[in-house]
Amino acid sequence: MAQNSQTMYLAIVLAPLFGALLAGFGGKLIGRIGAHMVTIIGVAIAFGLSALTFKGIVFDGAPIYDATVYTWGVIEGVHLEVGFRIDELSSLMMTVVTFISLMVHIYTIGYMHDDPGYQRFFSYISLFTFAMLTLVMSNNFLQLFFGWEAVGVMSYLLIGFWYQRESAIYANLKAFLVNRVGDFGFLLGIAAVLMYFGSLHYATVFETAPLLRDLTIQVFPGVNWSLMSVICILLFIGAMGKSAQMPLHVWLPDSMEGPTPISALIHAATMVTAGIFMVARMSPLFELSETALSVVMVIGAITALAMGLVGIVQNDIKRVIAYSTLSQLGYMTVALGASAYAGAIFHLATHAFFKALLFLGAGSVIIAMHHDQDIRNMGGLRKYMPITWLTALIGSIALIGFPGFSGFFSKDLIIEAVHHSGLPGSGFAYFSVLAGVFITALYSFRMYFLVFHGKERMSASVRSSLRETRAVVTAPLIMLAIPSVIIGWLGIESVLTGELFGPSIAVLPGHDVLGAIAADFHGAGSFVLHGITGAPFVLAMAGVAVAWYLYLARPELPERIKQSFGLLYNVLDQKYGFDRFNGFFFAGGARGIGTVLWRGGDAAVIDGLLVNGSARTVAWLASVVRHLQSGFLFHYALAMILGLLLMITWFVTL
Amino acid sequence: MSLMLNDFLPAAPEIFLLSMACLILIVDVYVPERYRLVTYQLSQATLVVTAILVMFLYPTESVLTFSDSFVLDRMGSVLKVFVLLMTYFAFFYSKEYLRARNLFKGEFYLLGLFAVLGMMVLISGHSLLTLYLGLELLSLALYALVALHRDSTAATEAAMKYFILAALASGILLYGISLLYGATATLDISELHSAIGSEGEGRNIVLMLGLVFVVVGIAFKLGAVPFHMWVPDLYQGAPTPVTLFIGTAPKLAGFAMLMRFLVDGMGGLRGDWGDMLVLLAILSLAVGNVVAIAQTNLKRMLGYSTIAHMGYMFLGLIAGTAAGYAASMFYIIVYALMAMGSFGMIILLSRAGFESDRLDDFRGLNERSPWYAFLMLILMLSMAGLPPFLGFWAKWSVLRELVAVDMVWLAVVSVVFSLIGLFYYIRIVRLMYFEKPTDHSAVAAPGDMRVMISTNALAILALGLYPGALMAVCISAFAI
């Protein structure tokens, strides 16, 4: 049995890898159709087996699998291994990742149809799927880190997929550099784990953790810090980079330079949620540090509120969704901070569906608009693109948390969880997530109205060619719309009661906010009814109403508001100045230091003096000594005699 | 003093070689021009038989004869076998070259055989006079060989310079020998050794003067800086087969001369001549490696490279241990093999009217002939001392012995210079592989020549992969 499941898990990971290798190196041998066939089959195998695994673990009560598959090396007792830990948490993630990936693969056939890098693209996204699966399925920190970096590399490659574009290269470099900052913290966190636990294996670390709960360490002399807080905050810095939490969020909006399927798969549904997943995975550690939890919650709350606000002033369709993603990631982070890990993962899953749906819908619009992404040039697309319109509407409703749709269940759960939390900062977090509901509804429906309703603002030539996109594009939209509606109904109860995640997530009794909510829970239906009477619903409806009033009823109003609140608008339009500050302070500073070191250290000392200097000296010496070889016999004889005399004077002594 | 047959036996190879040389001299006079190949074949056969005799007589312990003026020992036998092997290859490589240029005459082979005789006598010399005799026999033959192409001004100029400078060096050496005789009243190597004492007890100013003169004389023969001036001119000026011959076998004889004079004869003064060799080694490494960079002629560049290689060879002697001597011997043999391949490659690529001895002639060789470019790559990288080629092990073994006696600083200095030296070897590789050829003619060389040069170069790769056997031979030569 164990052998069978090991083979199965290996197949899940390796099928996309083989697909990627075949598509990447197959070239002309397999052609374009071959490339998308092999990768889709690979990912489909992975999805099928993941779904089976999920069913086995969650419904059939199969035992949790935690074993090493391959030992790479042992260094002083530290095992460097490849291994899988398949439990409720990872099997859910596997299923979500492979499902979205499969949809995106299919969608890509249509979206990238005319792109010369077709095969490369399929190879990349399949390789990404492989990397994401190794991350999710890992049973140790080393493999986690490998997957973490591998998805980072794939993200880098895919953001810069159109590498001839200056802006794409800028964006992927930015993503890479900002993630370096987060990864630095992450790596330090892993190092701290290894240092104090002596193991990289999850199970060992989680078992030992309670024993080290009260240990304090001195990073700086004289200052005592709780070990658990240090480890957790360092790990969370990694999550901040990957899951784009303030102030390490700046790379995500720019990552929209990548092709739209990538934005859906990597920068909305899967990779950016790796940080959320990681913190949930480390729940046995985070539970031991209220400081860390507070930090997590406050950072998440700031991100949720501030990024949503920026979303209101964006005009690029993908950027609006990108800021929405940032805001939703903030919601998940808040849930983590409130110890509602299950709620965070639940929102992660629902968000993965409806956000991928929104992105792919946006992609469909972009195809129809001939790659014009400015929503000010759209309008009235509803009648040209009915399927895209309907699925986008479903996605938007799910996003704003309209009762009954998937987003409602997960988001309301988070709001309630924060409400129940007693940690420092939970008051602010509660305000943020409530205000966030209004803002989410505002920017979502601003975009929805501007794109699908109102005046048709596109040029005549574009309008004449507007039509619904191909089936390979719309089919994934429909496939994603279905879970966006129903997944909340199915999941809410088991999430609340803790059935869904079982022992894979640890929550201390004092932090069990979901348990407190569960006490009042009387089924999904009453949860929905309760929701309709709650404040979040009112706020969401208010947001939709304001959006309708401003962008459909009185379209001239936003311009006037913009003028009368110029300062506020500028702050939002400049995204709080993060980019400018980073560009000036970090990039400029680093370049400044780099220039000094380069000019002074590298160019002058190393290149000039050491490398070229020595080369020049040797060449000069060669040309000089060469002239000693004059060709005259008497010079040669003289040199010999001088050599003889030199040696006599030097050596003839007693 | 009566000589019995047994007293002649240790010198049997030399006697055979002498007899055959005289025989071939007469045969050559009577053979018509179109049968000149007979001279060549007889010479090669002589070399082979002599080598067999040497191996047959391989001694278990040192044997002295001719009133102790001649010694048969393991080191000598090993060196002689390699001298004969190198000469065989040198004759082989030169055949087509000489034919194409109307130089295919008996003199080349006869002078070569007499030079070999001189080397063998030098290698087996156990008296200062025997050593000098062997050296002179070798040198006289070489002067004439260099001037073989008498219509070439470069060759005659090189011969003239070589002759005068070598005469000067011989004078210096002979003066040194007379000083040694004056100080110790003996010409016998063993008696010289006991007169000086194993710790240099008999050290005096006359002895030291004699030592300096002798070292200078040997340094000249090996072409160590500052007594190297003749080397580049000779290497460039002489016909390539002569350069090949001078660049290989006589180096082994020169190593034997170092061993006989310094180690066997004046081992007690090791500290003194060790310091002198350090000076010569550093100067040779520096000048050889640095000036080679500025060369445009490949033969001349290899001349400077020889100078540098002699510097490396000294390092093992400086270490002053049996393992160090073995390492030096290993080095000199390896060097001779590599030099032979390199000059052989120049001969192979040349044709009448085109010497193929400029660096530019190797431009784009890979496009003209990938196989020879690959062989040249092996030779150059081996010369530079990169693994896995044989040259790496040669450098590694002398450096190891140097480090074993705690002379790390000298090892570091020599490594730095070999790093500089890497440049001009790699430059050839770059020219061959990354430049466009200026000359597109196909490589025209007879089949046997192709086989031999391939064997030569591949042996350097193969021995580089399994360096143990050759190394074991060298170590056994000093294991008595």
Side-chain angles (χ1 to χ4, degrees):
Chain A
M1 177 62 203
Q3 197 59 42
N4 280 346
S5 30
Q6 179 180 328
T7 315
M8 185 163 92
Y9 302 144
L10 272 176
I12 293 174
V13 176
L14 295 180
L17 178 62
F18 282 126
L21 292 178
L22 280 174
F25 294 113
K28 290 206 178 73
L29 205 65
I30 59 170
R32 288 163 81 95
I33 294 176
H36 74 233
M37 285 309 286
V38 290
T39 49
I40 287 175
I41 290 170
V43 174
I45 291 171
F47 169 64
L49 294 176
S50 296
L52 259 178
T53 309
F54 180 69
K55 176 175 170 291
I57 299 250
V58 176
F59 295 103
D60 303 345
I64 287 166
Y65 178 92
D66 185 353
T68 298
V69 178
Y70 167 67
T71 303
W72 181 37
V74 181
I75 300 170
E76 293 181 4
V78 179
H79 290 252
L80 309 178
E81 298 172 331
V82 176
F84 297 137
R85 181 186 175 94
I86 309 296
D87 54 12
E88 293 87 348
L89 179 60
S90 44
S91 61
L92 174 70
M93 281 298 285
M94 284 153 61
T95 314
V96 172
V97 167
T98 48
F99 178 70
I100 308 276
S101 177
L102 183 60
M103 291 304 116
V104 169
H105 270 78
I106 295 169
Y107 178 88
T108 301
I109 298 173
Y111 193 84
M112 301 296 283
H113 187 256
D114 302 321
D115 200 281
Y118 192 77
Q119 285 169 279
R120 183 162 59 98
F121 191 86
F122 274 100
S123 176
Y124 282 178
I125 53 175
S126 234
L127 199 55
F128 167 79
T129 312
F130 157 76
M132 190 71 199
L133 286 170
T134 50
L135 188 164
V136 168
M137 293 165 74
S138 170
N139 75 343
N140 63 73
F141 284 89
L142 184 75
Q143 189 184 331
L144 173 75
F145 188 70
F146 168 80
W148 192 268
E149 293 301 305
V151 293
V153 169
M154 296 322 296
S155 159
Y156 168 81
L157 289 173
L158 284 162
I159 295 171
F161 183 78
W162 286 313
Y163 52 84
Q164 298 94 335
R165 284 190 196 168
E166 188 103 358
S167 57
I169 296 305
Y170 174 80
N172 75 351
L173 191 60
K174 185 170 175 182
F176 206 76
L177 289 178
V178 174
N179 270 296
R180 277 322 77 203
V181 179
D183 292 352
F184 184 62
F186 189 50
L187 199 54
L188 283 179
I190 293 177
V193 166
L194 181 60
M195 188 170 159
Y196 286 95
F197 293 88
S199 172
L200 288 172
H201 196 253
Y202 288 163
T204 321
V205 172
F206 295 161
E207 270 171 34
T208 329
L211 305 176
L212 299 178
R213 178 177 190 161
D214 300 320
L215 191 66
T216 56
I217 56 169
Q218 290 194 345
V219 178
F220 301 105
V223 188
N224 281 313
W225 282 343
S226 151
L227 171 69
M228 279 303 151
S229 298
V230 170
I231 289 179
C232 291
I233 290 174
L234 285 172
L235 290 175
F236 179 64
I237 289 174
M240 281 164 69
K242 198 61 80 195
S243 292
Q245 296 299 300
M246 287 243 273
L248 298 181
H249 66 282
V250 288
W251 64 273
L252 188 61
D254 284 6
S255 77
M256 296 301 130
E257 287 298 333
T260 307
I262 288 321
S263 308
L265 176 63
I266 298 185
H267 304 120
T270 55
M271 185 191 83
V272 289
T273 60
I276 310 297
F277 164 78
M278 189 268 288
V279 174
R281 181 49 106 195
M282 301 301 151
S283 58
L285 301 183
F286 277 84
E287 277 304 292
L288 299 178
S289 169
E290 295 203 347
T291 319
L293 287 176
S294 255
V295 169
V296 171
M297 179 149 57
V298 171
I299 296 275
I302 296 174
T303 310
L305 183 62
M307 292 300 111
L309 283 170
V310 178
I312 300 174
V313 298
Q314 294 298 312
N315 290 320
D316 181 312
I317 184 167
K318 283 177 70 182
R319 284 188 184 247
V320 176
I321 310 179
Y323 279 100
S324 153
T325 305
L326 282 168
S327 170
Q328 299 306 309
L329 287 167
Y331 272 89
M332 296 175 211
T333 309
V334 169
L336 294 172
S339 289
Y341 306 101
I345 297 295
F346 188 39
H347 193 53
L348 184 162
T350 58
H351 173 257
F353 292 116
F354 63 70
K355 191 52 66 68
L357 171 60
L358 280 174
F359 259 121
L360 296 186
S364 177
V365 170
I366 291 169
I367 298 173
M369 291 292 296
H370 299 287
H371 291 266
D372 182 356
Q373 306 189 358
D374 195 328
I375 50 177
R376 287 169 297 188
N377 298 337
M378 300 174 188
L381 290 181
R382 181 168 64 111
K383 59 177 178 285
Y384 300 102
M385 311 178 72
I387 302 177
T388 306
W389 162 69
L390 189 64
T391 50
L393 178 62
I394 292 172
S396 299
I397 291 177
L399 171 61
I400 67 167
F402 190 84
F405 287 80
S406 62
F408 160 76
F409 292 100
S410 52
K411 195 182 283 183
D412 253 29
L413 196 59
I414 290 173
I415 295 167
E416 279 303 298
V418 177
H419 191 49
H420 281 82
S421 174
L423 289 181
S426 59
F428 167 69
Y430 185 59
F431 160 76
S432 293
V433 291
L434 268 185
V437 172
F438 172 77
I439 293 162
T440 306
L442 180 57
Y443 67 68
S444 302
F445 273 81
R446 165 178 175 262
M447 183 183 86
Y448 168 76
F449 288 136
L450 281 175
V451 173
F452 291 103
H453 296 273
K455 222 169 78 194
E456 297 172 10
R457 295 177 298 275
M458 69 289 287
S459 63
S461 64
V462 172
R463 181 182 310 152
S464 61
S465 64
L466 273 179
R467 70 177 70 84
E468 185 58 274
T469 43
R470 297 166 54 193
V472 283
V473 174
T474 51
L477 295 181
I478 298 165
M479 293 293 288
L480 285 166
I482 296 166
S484 297
V485 178
I486 62 168
I487 201 94
W489 288 98
L490 303 178
I492 182 70
E493 182 160 359
S494 56
V495 169
L496 267 179
T497 55
E499 265 170 41
L500 182 56
F501 293 108
S504 63
I505 282 173
V507 181
L508 291 187
H511 296 162
D512 193 5
V513 288
L514 291 184
I517 302 169
D520 299 331
F521 184 76
H522 308 293
S526 69
F527 194 74
V528 171
L529 286 178
H530 180 73
I532 291 174
T533 59
F537 175 68
V538 177
L539 284 169
M541 286 304 105
V544 175
V546 170
W548 172 81
Y549 184 71
L550 288 180
Y551 295 96
L552 281 186
R554 303 278 304 276
E556 75 285 357
L557 260 184
E559 197 53 39
R560 278 170 48 196
I561 296 172
K562 193 200 280 187
Q563 266 145 27
S564 36
F565 295 97
L567 182 68
L568 182 66
Y569 176 80
N570 273 333
V571 168
L572 291 180
D573 193 44
Q574 295 293 319
K575 303 143 200 162
Y576 310 109
F578 274 104
D579 279 336
R580 184 176 285 192
F581 176 76
N582 288 342
F584 167 74
F585 188 78
F586 289 112
R591 266 203 305 274
I593 295 171
T595 309
V596 168
L597 290 178
W598 163 54
R599 290 259 164 73
D602 212 51
V605 176
I606 295 177
D607 282 354
L609 205 65
L610 297 180
V611 177
N612 291 331
S614 57
R616 261 201 304 275
T617 311
V618 168
W620 171 80
L621 205 64
S623 64
V624 169
V625 179
R626 191 182 177 198
H627 290 296
L628 291 180
Q629 192 81 22
S630 57
F632 293 120
L633 190 56
F634 58 92
H635 283 172
Y636 293 6
L638 187 66
M640 282 174 66
I641 300 297
L642 285 176
L644 178 68
L645 287 176
L646 174 83
M647 285 181 67
I648 288 173
T649 46
W650 194 330
F651 292 109
V652 179
T653 50
L654 274 178
Chain B
M1 180 168 54
S2 62
L3 288 172
M4 308 298 290
L5 186 63
N6 272 353
D7 294 329
F8 287 100
L9 196 58
E14 284 81 2
I15 294 167
F16 173 75
L17 181 60
L18 175 62
S19 317
M20 284 305 291
C22 295
L23 183 70
I24 295 168
L25 187 60
I26 295 168
V27 170
D28 186 59
V29 173
Y30 290 99
V31 165
E33 189 62 37
R34 62 181 190 281
Y35 295 129
R36 196 60 64 202
L37 201 59
V38 172
T39 310
Y40 164 76
Q41 283 161 343
L42 276 175
S43 304
Q44 293 290 57
T46 305
L47 291 174
V48 172
V49 175
T50 311
I52 292 170
L53 281 173
V54 172
M55 285 190 267
F56 188 69
L57 289 173
Y58 188 70
T60 49
E61 56 183 4
S62 298
V63 181
L64 293 173
T65 186
F66 300 126
S67 309
D68 295 351
S69 63
F70 187 95
V71 64
L72 173 67
D73 61 2
R74 286 185 175 189
M75 180 194 85
S77 295
V78 172
L79 285 173
K80 280 180 204 170
V81 170
F82 277 102
V83 162
L84 292 163
L85 180 76
M86 303 286 168
T87 311
Y88 182 86
F89 267 85
F91 284 2
F92 196 98
Y93 287 161
S94 54
K95 188 177 56 168
E96 286 305 316
Y97 181 95
L98 295 176
R99 264 194 185 155
R101 285 159 189 76
N102 215 9
L103 289 171
F104 193 62
K105 298 190 168 58
E107 285 88 334
F108 179 82
Y109 298 101
L110 279 165
L111 286 168
L113 288 181
F114 280 113
V116 171
L117 182 63
M119 289 182 233
M120 290 175 72
V121 171
L122 177 56
I123 289 169
S124 272
H126 194 255
S127 146
L128 299 181
L129 272 186
T130 326
L131 288 168
Y132 185 71
L133 193 69
L135 177 65
E136 283 306 287
L137 181 53
L138 165 64
S139 301
L140 282 169
L142 292 185
Y143 305 148
L145 270 177
V146 177
L148 189 68
H149 196 191
R150 65 181 175 208
D151 296 336
S152 156
T153 48
T156 38
E157 185 191 328
M160 204 62 202
K161 281 180 183 166
Y162 182 45
F163 174 63
I164 292 172
L165 294 175
L168 179 61
S170 282
I172 292 172
L173 180 67
L174 201 54
Y175 188 56
I177 290 175
S178 73
L179 284 170
L180 292 184
Y181 183 72
T184 60
T186 181
L187 288 173
D188 185 274
I189 295 287
S190 304
E191 286 173 22
L192 180 64
H193 191 272
S194 41
I196 292 170
S198 60
E199 297 301 322
E201 297 89 344
R203 191 168 176 273
N204 62 47
I205 196 153
V206 182
L207 199 58
M208 287 305 295
L209 267 175
L211 174 63
V212 168
F213 277 83
V214 166
V215 167
V216 169
I218 302 173
F220 175 84
K221 284 309 299 176
L222 287 170
V225 179
F227 312 102
H228 67 287
M229 298 291 212
W230 60 278
V231 175
D233 288 5
L234 180 81
Y235 272 47
Q236 188 182 2
T240 313
V242 177
T243 310
L244 185 155
F245 182 59
I246 292 178
T248 53
K251 301 293 176 202
L252 301 181
F255 170 75
M257 187 158 72
L258 267 178
M259 290 300 296
R260 299 293 181 214
F261 270 107
L262 299 185
V263 178
D264 294 353
M266 291 182 276
L269 299 176
R270 184 180 300 131
D272 296 296
W273 56 254
D275 288 347
M276 295 179 202
L277 291 188
V278 169
L279 177 73
L280 293 175
I282 292 178
L283 284 174
S284 301
L285 287 171
V287 172
N289 279 321
V290 170
V291 182
I293 292 174
Q295 304 307 320
T296 52
N297 182 291
L298 183 59
K299 278 161 75 183
R300 200 173 176 84
M301 191 199 93
L302 287 173
Y304 279 103
S305 130
T306 306
I307 295 169
H309 281 290
M310 291 309 119
Y312 290 112
M313 189 269 282
F314 286 151
L315 298 180
L317 287 163
I318 291 165
T321 56
Y325 304 145
S328 276
M329 185 160 142
F330 181 63
Y331 196 96
I332 200 79
I333 291 172
V334 169
Y335 167 71
L337 275 172
M338 297 187 302
M340 181 142 62
S342 309
F343 284 111
M345 194 61 78
I346 299 177
I347 294 179
L348 178 97
L349 297 176
S350 70
R351 54 185 181 270
F354 174 64
E355 287 299 318
S356 182
D357 61 352
R358 292 171 309 141
L359 291 186
D360 284 346
D361 297 335
F362 281 77
R363 213 175 271 274
L365 181 61
N366 186 43
E367 284 184 30
R368 289 170 58 201
S369 165
W371 177 243
Y372 293 117
F374 173 66
L375 295 182
M376 192 66 181
L377 171 91
I378 294 180
L379 290 164
M380 287 298 116
L381 294 186
S382 179
M383 282 251 194
L386 293 185
F389 305 106
L390 194 51
F392 165 74
W393 296 106
K395 281 202 173 60
W396 181 77
S397 55
V398 291
L399 290 178
R400 186 188 56 183
E401 296 313 324
L402 214 50
V403 170
V405 295
D406 292 329
M407 297 191 75
V408 179
W409 68 273
L410 188 54
V412 170
V413 168
S414 63
V415 168
V416 168
F417 280 118
S418 62
L419 206 65
I420 295 174
L422 190 60
F423 172 80
Y424 57 86
Y425 295 120
I426 297 278
R427 182 170 56 186
I428 307 252
V429 174
R430 195 204 70 198
L431 284 174
M432 290 193 301
Y433 282 90
F434 299 107
E435 304 263 323
K436 290 281 157 212
T438 43
D439 172 29
H440 289 277
S441 55
V443 176
D448 54 350
M449 175 83 184
R450 288 163 183 253
V451 172
M452 284 296 261
I453 195 100
S454 304
T455 313
N456 191 168
L458 291 179
I460 285 166
L461 176 59
L463 287 171
L465 296 174
Y466 303 100
L470 187 55
M471 194 71 192
V473 168
C474 293
I475 288 170
S476 76
F478 293 94
I480 298 176

